[in-house]
Amino acid sequence: MPDRGGGPTGPRIRVGRPSRRVRTLLMTLGVLAVLGMVFTMFAGFWTDWLWYRSVDYSSVFTTTLSTKIGLFVVFGLLMAVSVGFNIWLAHRLRPPLSAMSMEQQNLDRYRMGIAPYKKWLLLGITALVGLIAGASASSQWRTWLMWVNGVSFGQKDPQFNLDVSFYAFDLPWYRFLLGFGFAAAILGLIAAALTHYLYGGLRITSPGARATAAATGHLSVLLGIFVALKAIAYWLDRYGLAVKSSDFKATDSWTGLRYVDANAYLPAKTILFCIAVICALLFFATLWRRTWQLPVIGFGLMVLSAILIGGLYPAIVQKFQVQPNEQAKEAPYVEKNLAATREAYGIDDSQVTEYPGVAETKDQAKLRDDVANAASIRIMDPNIVSPTFQQLQQIRNYYAFPTNLDVDRYAKDGKEQDTVIGLRELNYAGIPKRNWINDHFRYTHGYGVVAAEGTSADAGGRPAFTESDLPSKGDLGTYEQRVYYGERTTTYSIVGGPQKEIDYSDDSGEKTYSYKGDSGVNLDNPMNRAAYAVAFGEPQILYSGAIGEGSRILYNRTPKERVEAIAPWLTIDGDAYPAVIDGRIQWIVDAYTTTNGYPYASRTTLGDTTADSLTATNDQRAVVAQQNQVNYIRNSVKATVDAYSGEVKLYQWDTQDPVLKTWMKAFPDTVEPRSEISRDLMDHLRYPQDLFKVQRELLTRYHVKDANTFLSGSEVWQVPDDPTNKTGETVPPYYLSMKMPDQDEQVFSLTTTFTPNGRDNLSAFMAVNADPGTGDYGKIRILKLPTSTTVSGPKQVQSQFNSQQDIAETIRLLRGGDSEVEYGNLLTVPLDGGLLYVEPVYVRGGGLKYPLLRKVLVTYGGQTAFEDTLEQALDKVFGGEGTPVEPPADEGEDEGPDEGTTPPPSTQQPSTVQEALNDAQKAFEAGQEALKNNDWEAYGRAQEDLEDALRRAEEAQSGGAGGARSSPRATPSASPGSNS
C-alpha cells in the first residue's frame, strides 16, 4: 500500500507455519486424544461384557446389544437414504439457469460456494440424520422385542374384539413406525424444498411460475406420503381409544372408551381416515395434472373436517347427550372399565364380605381364648427395632443393619413363627481409617444373620433373639455367614488376591479371610485391569501391588442392581429381604411384568401408589419405578441373589402371564421354571408389598362391581395416613400370621385398613394370603363394615389411646427428661365380629439410645388396656378391667388431644393417688440411677416398683379413697428422664 504519511511503519512480522517438531507434537496429541476416547468407550463396553459373562447371563447382553445395533443400523440407514435420496432427486430435477433472475443471482454465490463440496455435504447431512434416527430407534429395543415375540393373552377387548396382545405388543410398535415415517416424510420434504429453492425449482420473488413441473411433482408426492401417513394415524387412533386416558369425575385415571368416544370420536376417526386417503390420492395425482389446486382444496377440507368432526361434534355430543343423563349413558362403558381394571391388576377374585365390626359374643373368657387362634400378634415392629439390633448386635462399628428390618417365618420347636430378621452388613462409614486399600480390599463384607421372635420380648423390653452374636449362632443352624452382596453394599471390592480381608473380630482378635468364590471379574488380565481403571476412574487398579493372581473385582452388589441388570425388562420391588435357605443367605427379590397397553384398564403411577410412611423415611426401601405408569401388573418372577457368591436365579412364578412368556421368548434360558424352586425356598417366599399396595389403591374404588355405585362415588375408600408417623404418608401394609373369619387356621398374611373418603372411621379391613405353601395364596379378602354404625379407624384409635387419662399420664411420665416414646405398628385383627387393635409402645432415652418395648396398647369392643406385656393387656381387656373408650363426637374428627398431651389436672387429688405417684417418682429415679451404673438387676427391680406404683394410682383413681373417681394428674416433683 502507498505511504500515507503516517510515520514509519516498522518491521513487518512474518507469520510462518509451525515447526515440524510442533506439528508432530500436535498430531501425536490429537492421535492420543482420539485413542483415549475410543478406549474409554471400549472400556465401558468391555467391562459390561465381562460382568454379564461373570454372572452367566451373557445372552442378555448379546441379545440387547444386537437388538440395539440392528435397530440403529436399519432405521439409521432408512432415514439417511430417505433424506439423501430426496436431496439427490431435487438436485437432479433442477432447471437450467439460462434466464437468471435477481433472486437466482443472489443464490448463485451459495451454489458456487458448495459446488466443490456437494458430495461431502450430502454425506454429512445424511450421516447426521441417520445417526440421530438410529439412536432414537435403538431406544425402542423393548418395543421391538415385545412385538416380534408377543404371545396371545387369550382375551379380547369388548369394543374391537381384538386380542389384548394387539394393544400391549403390536400397537406400540406400529405407533413407533408411524412416528418414524412422519419424521422421514417431514425431513425429506424440508430437504427437497430447500434443494429445489437453492437450484431454482422453487421461486419466491421471481416472476412467472413459482415452481417447476418437476418440483411440483416431487413435493406433491412427499406431501401425499405425509397425508397417507396421517390417514394411517387416524385409523390407529380408533384402536388407541381403547387405551386412551381421560379425565372422568368417577376416577382420577379413566382408561378406555366412554360414550362420547364410541359415538362421536370413533365415527369421526373413520370419516377423517377416508378424507385423508382421498386427499393423499389428490396429491399423488399432481404427477399427471401438474397443479396443486385440487390437493390444496382437499387438504383444507381435511383440516376443516378435523376441527368440526374431530373436535366440535364430540363436544356437542358430550354437552347435549351425555351430561343431561350421564349415569345412564356411561354405565355400559364403566362396566367394561370395572371388569378390565380388576382383571389387569389381579383383583377380580377379591372376596368382599360384610362384617359387623362389633363382637357377636359376650363371653369374655371365650374371646380371650380366641385371641391366640385369631393371630400371632407381632409386638416387635421391624420398622422401630433396627436401632436396638444395631446397639445390641452391631459388635463392630463397621457393621450395620438396615433402617427397616424384615419379617419372615422360621420354625422353632416344630412350630412356625413370625420372625424379625436383618443382616449384619458392611457399614463403610464405620471403617476406622478410610483409604483406598481399607475401603476396597480390607473391609469387603458383612457377617451373619440376626433374628428375633416377632411375638415376644425379654424382661428388659429387648428383642428375644433367636440368632445372634458374632459369628451368629442360634436356631438357624450352620450356614455361610459372609455377606458380600447386600442392600448397603454400594461400592466395589477387590478380593481373592494377595491382600487379606478382615473377616470378623472376636475376643481373640481380628480374623482374616480370602474370598473363595468365583463371583466377580478376574483382574489377572492387564487388559481387564486397564478397562476397569478407566471405567471406574481409578488408575490405582492398573498398577496397585495389592492386585495379583486370583484378584477379582465385585460390583453391582445390591440385590436390586443385580436383578435389574440381568433382567432389564422387569420392574423390581422396592424391598428385597434375606432368608437362610439350604445353608446359604439368599436375598429374595420380587419382580413384576407390566404393560401400559391393557384396553379399558385404568392406569396408576407406581411411584405414587407404592409410597408410604416407610418409603418417606427410608432411602433403602425405594418406591417402584418412580414415574412408571402402568395398567397391568403381575408378580411373575421370584429372584434370588446369593449373599456370598452373588449368583442370581430367576424363577417363573406366574406361569400364565403372557408378558413374561413374551420376554422368555426374547431371552430364552434366562428364567427357570417354577418347578425348580426348592421346598426350603418356597417356605420363605411371600406376597410382595408393592403389588399389594398397588392393588389396595385400586380397590379403594374398584371393590364395587356395580356401575351406578361406581359413578355415584358413595363407596369410595381411602388408605388412611399412618397415625404413628409424622410424615403424612399412608400407613404401610403389615405382615402378620392371622386368621380371617372364613379360614380354619392362621396363615402368613399381608394386611391393611381402609377408611371412607375424607373420614377417619373404619370402612374395611383387607388381607391377602401371603404364604405360597397354602392353597389360596394370593387370595384377597375384604371385610366391609356397615355404613350404619361407626367403627373407629386407625387414627381414631390412636387418638383414643392418647386421650385416656391414665394412659396419657403414663406416657407423659415415660416421656420425661430426654426420653422419647415411639409407637410401633398399629395392628388390626378381626376377632368374633369385632376388631382388635394392638400397638407396641417403645421408649428410647435416658442412658440408652435405642428403643425398648415398654408397654402394649390393646383395645377391643370399647375396652382399652395399657400394660407391660401383651398378655397382661389382653387379660385386662377381656377380663372386664379395661378402661371404657368414649367414641369421638363425630366419626370424621379426632376429639382426643395430640399424643403426649394430658387433660387438665383434677382440683381434688386423693392422698392415696398422690402417694402412689410419689412412689412412682422414686422408682423412676432409682431406675435412672441403675441405668447410669449399668446395674440391670437394680433397673429391673425399679421397673417392677414403678409398675406397682402406677397400678396403685390407677386403682385409687378408679374408686379408692372414698369412692370418688379422680384423675391422677399430680406429677412427680422432678422432671424425669425415663427409659422404662
Side-chain angles (χ1 to χ4, degrees):
M1 293 182 66
D3 187 359
R4 299 185 183 274
T9 60
R12 288 189 295 173
I13 299 175
R14 181 173 180 174
V15 180
R17 296 176 61 190
S19 67
R20 184 173 182 178
R21 179 178 298 176
V22 173
R23 293 200 306 272
T24 303
L25 178 61
L26 292 175
M27 185 176 296
T28 302
L29 291 175
V31 171
L32 289 175
V34 172
L35 290 176
M37 289 187 292
V38 170
F39 188 77
T40 299
M41 292 186 291
F42 169 77
F45 163 80
W46 184 244
T47 53
D48 285 347
W49 162 249
L50 291 174
W51 187 84
Y52 277 98
R53 191 174 64 175
S54 74
V55 293
D56 295 327
Y57 282 90
S58 55
S59 62
V60 174
F61 179 80
T62 54
T63 299
T64 304
L65 182 63
S66 61
T67 303
K68 290 179 178 179
I69 292 175
L71 292 172
F72 179 88
V73 171
V74 170
F75 286 94
L77 283 176
L78 285 175
M79 184 64 75
V81 168
S82 173
V83 174
F85 173 76
N86 280 289
I87 293 175
W88 173 84
L89 184 61
H91 179 266
R92 186 177 180 84
L93 296 175
R94 67 189 185 280
L97 299 175
S98 55
M100 293 289 290
S101 65
M102 184 62 66
E103 183 181 18
Q104 290 302 313
Q105 289 177 13
N106 292 331
L107 291 173
D108 190 52
R109 55 180 175 175
Y110 295 107
R111 290 192 289 265
M112 295 292 290
I114 66 173
Y117 311 106
K118 284 192 294 186
K119 290 183 179 180
W120 291 109
L121 187 61
L122 178 63
L123 288 174
I125 293 173
T126 55
L128 179 63
V129 297
L131 288 172
I132 296 173
S136 175
S138 66
S139 66
Q140 298 294 320
W141 63 272
R142 290 181 177 85
T143 307
W144 161 260
L145 288 176
M146 292 183 77
W147 177 68
V148 77
N149 295 288
V151 301
S152 172
F153 274 69
Q155 294 174 302
K156 298 183 183 296
D157 79 282
Q159 181 66 42
F160 301 102
N161 203 34
L162 295 174
D163 192 88
V164 173
S165 61
F166 171 80
Y167 301 94
F169 306 141
D170 299 343
L171 190 59
W173 179 250
Y174 296 153
R175 282 175 165 168
F176 163 72
L177 292 179
L178 186 64
F180 179 85
F182 273 123
I186 292 171
L187 289 175
L189 182 64
I190 293 172
L194 289 175
T195 305
H196 278 299
Y197 177 70
L198 182 63
Y199 287 96
L202 291 178
R203 304 179 182 91
I204 297 177
T205 61
S206 301
R210 300 298 184 193
T212 63
T216 299
H218 184 193
L219 297 179
S220 295
V221 169
L222 291 176
L223 287 169
I225 292 173
F226 177 84
V227 176
L229 291 172
K230 188 61 180 174
I232 298 174
Y234 281 133
W235 189 256
L236 289 181
D237 284 347
R238 298 169 65 255
Y239 303 111
L241 292 172
V243 290
K244 183 195 71 164
S245 291
S246 59
D247 295 330
F248 190 31
K249 71 177 184 179
T251 174
D252 296 331
S253 181
W254 173 270
T255 300
L257 284 83
R258 292 159 51 194
Y259 181 89
V260 69
D261 297 312
N263 295 277
Y265 280 111
L266 188 58
K269 297 292 184 183
T270 305
I271 294 172
L272 289 172
F273 164 77
C274 297
I275 294 174
V277 169
I278 296 172
C279 186
L281 293 175
L282 291 176
F283 273 109
F284 292 140
T286 57
L287 286 172
W288 296 275
R289 294 179 55 85
R290 303 296 183 180
T291 176
W292 280 356
Q293 184 177 4
L294 285 178
V296 169
I297 294 174
F299 189 77
L301 176 62
M302 186 180 73
V303 173
L304 182 62
S305 300
I307 296 172
L308 296 178
I309 301 175
L312 184 60
Y313 174 61
I316 293 174
V317 171
Q318 178 69 23
K319 180 70 175 178
F320 295 102
Q321 291 190 31
V322 177
Q323 289 185 4
N325 192 18
E326 185 174 37
Q327 194 141 325
K329 296 289 187 183
E330 299 287 15
Y333 303 96
V334 170
E335 290 177 357
K336 297 175 184 177
N337 177 268
L338 285 170
T341 302
R342 292 171 60 86
E343 165 63 28
Y345 289 94
I347 57 177
D348 49 326
D349 291 331
S350 300
Q351 175 183 306
V352 181
T353 306
E354 299 293 332
Y355 192 71
V358 293
E360 297 175 347
T361 179
K362 302 302 181 183
D363 187 345
Q364 296 293 304
K366 181 179 183 303
L367 286 174
R368 176 65 182 89
D369 293 338
D370 288 344
V371 172
N373 296 324
S376 298
I377 299 173
R378 180 172 43 75
I379 56 175
M380 278 290 112
D381 185 348
N383 309 309
I384 296 290
V385 299
S386 178
T388 309
F389 273 52
Q390 185 82 357
Q391 186 69 26
L392 301 178
Q393 289 296 319
Q394 180 189 23
I395 312 297
R396 293 290 183 268
N397 286 337
Y398 48 81
Y399 294 131
F401 292 93
T403 306
N404 299 99
L405 303 175
D406 289 290
V407 178
D408 203 348
R409 297 93 69 211
Y410 287 89
K412 184 174 182 178
D413 299 329
K415 183 179 179 181
E416 192 175 83
Q417 66 175 9
D418 292 357
T419 302
V420 178
I421 185 172
L423 297 190
R424 191 184 288 110
E425 294 193 49
L426 189 62
N427 174 30
Y428 290 97
I431 294 176
K433 185 177 181 180
R434 301 296 300 275
N435 56 53
W436 189 64
I437 292 295
N438 278 348
D439 286 357
H440 301 290
F441 291 82
R442 296 274 290 161
Y443 295 91
T444 60
H445 59 277
Y447 208 101
V449 173
V450 176
E453 296 178 10
T455 56
S456 63
D458 69 11
R462 294 177 292 271
F465 291 110
T466 58
E467 185 81 8
S468 59
D469 299 334
L470 181 67
S472 296
K473 54 184 177 291
D475 295 345
L476 300 184
T478 303
Y479 58 95
E480 173 56 67
Q481 297 197 19
R482 297 173 181 90
V483 181
Y484 281 89
Y485 295 87
E487 290 180 304
R488 301 180 66 95
T489 317
T490 55
T491 189
Y492 69 90
S493 288
I494 299 176
V495 299
Q499 178 67 60
K500 292 294 184 181
E501 311 161 40
I502 293 177
D503 202 23
Y504 65 90
S505 299
D506 58 16
D507 294 337
S508 62
E510 191 174 88
K511 309 293 185 182
T512 60
Y513 180 74
S514 186
Y515 184 65
K516 301 291 192 297
D518 58 359
S519 182
V521 178
N522 198 310
L523 293 180
D524 288 350
N525 188 333
M527 173 69 76
N528 293 354
R529 292 176 66 170
Y532 279 102
V534 171
F536 288 179
E538 183 48 72
Q540 293 187 76
I541 294 177
L542 183 60
Y543 56 77
S544 174
I547 301 175
E549 184 178 355
S551 291
R552 311 182 72 86
I553 185 168
L554 313 180
Y555 62 104
N556 285 351
R557 297 170 69 186
T558 70
K560 188 173 186 292
E561 282 179 329
R562 293 183 79 76
V563 177
E564 278 181 334
I566 284 169
W569 34 273
L570 290 174
T571 300
I572 310 301
D573 190 274
D575 181 31
Y577 61 98
V580 177
I581 299 169
D582 298 324
R584 313 280 291 192
I585 300 174
Q586 299 279 357
W587 288 98
I588 299 176
V589 182
D590 286 287
Y592 309 107
T593 48
T594 62
T595 181
N596 196 26
Y598 198 100
Y600 272 102
S602 290
R603 290 179 171 87
T604 187
T605 302
L606 292 182
D608 296 336
T609 309
T610 59
D612 59 26
S613 62
L614 295 185
T615 60
T617 58
N618 179 13
D619 56 359
Q620 288 181 347
R621 182 166 295 195
V623 295
V624 174
Q626 187 70 35
Q627 299 301 322
N628 192 8
Q629 267 211 340
V630 303
N631 66 352
Y632 172 94
I633 185 170
R634 290 289 186 273
N635 176 211
S636 52
V637 171
K638 301 284 189 180
T640 61
V641 179
D642 192 293
Y644 181 81
S645 68
E647 180 185 21
V648 180
K649 288 187 177 181
L650 308 177
Y651 296 99
Q652 181 183 16
W653 183 246
D654 189 334
T655 57
Q656 304 301 317
D657 178 28
V659 181
L660 178 60
K661 291 179 180 179
T662 296
W663 287 120
M664 290 175 67
K665 282 181 63 179
F667 295 95
D669 302 323
T670 57
V671 181
E672 298 186 27
R674 180 168 176 159
S675 58
E676 293 298 313
I677 298 177
S678 69
R679 180 71 260 172
D680 200 5
L681 173 58
M682 184 70 76
D683 289 341
H684 293 280
L685 298 181
R686 68 188 192 187
Y687 201 83
Q689 286 188 8
D690 286 335
L691 176 60
F692 185 75
K693 285 188 279 188
V694 170
Q695 291 175 325
R696 74 171 179 178
E697 180 64 31
L698 269 295
L699 281 167
T700 59
R701 290 168 285 130
Y702 286 91
H703 62 277
V704 302
K705 299 180 180 180
D706 177 65
N708 290 325
T709 305
F710 184 85
L711 284 167
S712 70
S714 60
E715 290 290 329
V716 175
W717 299 337
Q718 66 182 15
V719 181
D721 292 341
D722 189 347
T724 69
N725 196 295
K726 300 300 184 183
T727 62
E729 296 288 346
T730 57
V731 62
Y734 295 124
Y735 287 106
L736 183 69
S737 290
M738 57 163 291
K739 182 178 71 173
M740 292 290 275
D742 65 329
Q743 293 177 308
D744 296 328
E745 58 184 12
Q746 293 180 20
V747 295
F748 192 62
S749 304
L750 194 53
T751 66
T752 193
T753 53
F754 295 108
T755 58
N757 193 28
R759 302 181 70 83
D760 292 326
N761 57 289
L762 199 68
S763 57
F765 174 82
M766 170 178 163
V768 64
N769 185 341
D771 187 353
T774 56
D776 58 352
Y777 166 81
K779 176 75 173 180
I780 296 175
R781 294 175 169 86
I782 300 174
L783 303 181
K784 183 175 180 294
L785 279 73
T787 56
S788 57
T789 59
T790 300
V791 178
S792 296
K795 186 176 179 181
Q796 291 175 323
V797 169
Q798 188 69 46
S799 176
Q800 291 163 7
F801 281 155
N802 298 334
S803 65
Q804 293 302 303
Q805 293 182 354
D806 55 339
I807 295 176
E809 178 61 28
T810 306
I811 290 290
R812 191 170 74 139
L813 187 60
L814 294 174
R815 234 191 212 120
D818 61 350
S819 295
E820 288 181 31
V821 171
E822 296 184 33
Y823 293 98
N825 37 220
L826 180 58
L827 301 177
T828 309
V829 177
L831 177 65
D832 192 53
L835 291 164
L836 175 70
Y837 285 99
V838 179
E839 182 178 63
V841 178
Y842 300 82
V843 175
R844 182 205 298 249
L848 300 175
K849 298 303 180 185
Y850 57 91
L852 296 175
L853 180 67
R854 287 298 172 223
K855 293 286 183 179
V856 180
L857 285 161
V858 173
T859 185
Y860 182 81
Q863 298 291 323
T864 298
F866 186 50
E867 300 297 324
D868 287 352
T869 67
L870 174 62
E871 295 301 316
Q872 292 173 0
L874 292 173
D875 288 342
K876 187 168 185 179
V877 165
F878 295 105
E881 298 177 3
T883 304
V885 176
E886 295 297 330
D890 182 85
E891 62 185 22
E893 301 292 335
D894 288 90
E895 296 298 322
D898 292 334
E899 55 178 310
T901 63
T902 58
S906 173
T907 57
Q908 294 182 348
Q909 190 75 236
S911 59
T912 52
V913 175
Q914 184 63 58
E915 291 170 358
L917 288 176
N918 289 339
D919 291 342
Q921 175 64 32
K922 293 176 183 178
F924 172 76
E925 291 173 351
Q928 291 297 96
E929 186 65 28
L931 276 179
K932 294 178 182 178
N933 299 326
N934 290 322
D935 188 346
W936 293 103
E937 185 177 353
Y939 178 75
R941 290 196 301 269
Q943 296 309 298
E944 293 176 0
D945 293 342
L946 176 62
E947 175 58 29
D948 179 67
L950 291 175
R951 185 177 292 109
R952 285 190 283 112
E954 181 181 350
E955 290 172 353
Q957 175 197 21
S958 300
R965 180 173 179 83
S966 302
S967 174
R969 293 300 94 195
T971 58
S973 57
S975 177
S978 175
N979 190 57
S980 55

